[in-house]
Amino acid sequence: MAKFALVLAFLALLGSTQALPSDEAGPRVTGGTATLLGQYPSAVIIETPYIPQNCMGTVVNRQHVLTAASCVMNPTTFVMINPFWLRVIAGDINIVPVSTRREVRQVIRSYVHPNYNRLTDGNNLAVLRVDVPFPEFHNTIEPALLNARILADNTQCVFAGWGATQNQVTAVVRPNQFVVTQPILATVSCNAANVHNNRVQQTMICAGALAQSQNAVCRGNMGGGLYCNGRLTGVLAFGLGCGVANQPGVYMDVRQYTQWIETQFTRTDNPPPGWTPPQPL
């Protein structure tokens, strides 16, 4: 796993130095503004051997991280992977170089929503438990506050992450964390035939832009958090369009899953690797 992480970091650095000499060298697909250390202390990277660009998650208490169920499922066999293969990187805004505030944890439990449906992305959520609690009073690691309000369309929200700049299997992620503005879109607009074609369910939030945009979520952002009014509002489930028209991001609405999320904190069972959701495969 350490070798895998080192190779990924090297590729990320290589891509950032060769593909674009500087941030001003041309439009970035994922755009945004570079963040400061501690600006989004709940945003973390989830290392997985099954997704080249890895995933993202959000710290929700000292020992648990919220992410997308698709981040902990094998994309070939469609079963839950062994948590042993997952690591959480917290407290840092860079893939490279490593800051002294970084905390790395091994995942020891994966709790996938029991009604997750890989065909529709319904209930695309998972809570991960790490082996050692994150430290208290840590300037760059802090649990997110969960949104409990229904938000109006066009509410200005943000997404902070390490996404790639191209929608390609071999795309490299940027080594630094960036934040992009993602306004909430009307569900009816996102469900248009030329957009997500009725895939956006009542338990989901659509955010971003319908037009082509340089500020968008991309590969490497799956499972990351949408923050509205400073609170975690959504978990990215699909819509990694990397800025192309009619491909805004779609998020699980955290407000509607708060009870399920908090119930996972006290679970004592250990779902075995190879578990499959009840939906047809």
Side-chain angles (χ1 to χ4, degrees), residues 90-253:
D92 209 342
I93 57 173
N94 302 320
I95 296 176
V96 286
V98 176
S99 87
T100 58
R101 305 298 292 174
R102 176 175 294 191
E103 296 279 343
V104 180
R105 298 289 187 269
Q106 185 74 39
V107 175
I108 57 173
R109 298 285 191 277
S110 293
Y111 296 122
V112 176
H113 194 286
N115 294 318
Y116 165 58
N117 189 322
R118 74 173 184 86
L119 301 179
T120 66
D121 280 301
N123 305 303
N124 192 354
L125 287 176
V127 172
L128 310 183
R129 182 175 298 160
V130 296
D131 56 347
V132 178
F134 295 115
E136 291 185 293
F137 310 115
H138 194 288
N139 292 337
T140 58
I141 303 175
E142 184 177 342
L145 298 175
L146 305 186
N147 174 61
R149 300 172 53 192
I150 298 176
L151 301 177
D153 295 342
N154 204 40
T155 297
Q156 299 299 297
C157 305
V158 296
F159 184 97
W162 297 263
T165 60
Q166 302 177 54
N167 190 11
Q168 298 176 354
V169 175
T170 57
V172 295
V173 297
R174 291 187 284 184
N176 309 108
Q177 185 187 71
F178 283 74
V179 59
V180 293
T181 300
Q182 300 288 275
I184 292 180
L185 300 172
T187 300
V188 65
S189 299
C190 289
N191 271 334
N194 64 329
V195 186
H196 288 309
N197 195 24
N198 291 320
R199 285 189 64 193
V200 184
Q201 303 173 17
Q202 292 182 346
T203 53
M204 299 174 179
I205 296 173
C206 188
L210 295 179
Q212 182 177 347
S213 173
Q214 295 178 16
N215 296 309
V217 293
C218 194
R219 287 177 178 265
N221 291 151
M222 183 65 75
L226 180 73
Y227 298 85
C228 307
N229 301 321
R231 292 177 175 264
L232 178 65
T233 302
V235 172
L236 186 59
F238 66 91
L240 301 177
C242 303
V244 301
N246 297 322
Q247 285 296 311
V250 179
Y251 304 77
M252 301 311 304
D253 186 357

Side-chain angles (χ1 to χ4, degrees), residues 17-59:
T17 55
Q18 292 186 358
L20 289 171
S22 71
D23 286 343
E24 291 76 34
R28 296 271 196 163
V29 174
T30 48
T33 304
T35 64
L36 301 175
L37 197 62
Q39 189 174 358
Y40 294 94
S42 58
V44 299
I45 297 171
I46 299 175
E47 289 187 333
T48 168
Y50 293 96
I51 301 175
Q53 293 81 19
N54 289 323
C55 273
M56 285 185 54
T58 305
V59 176

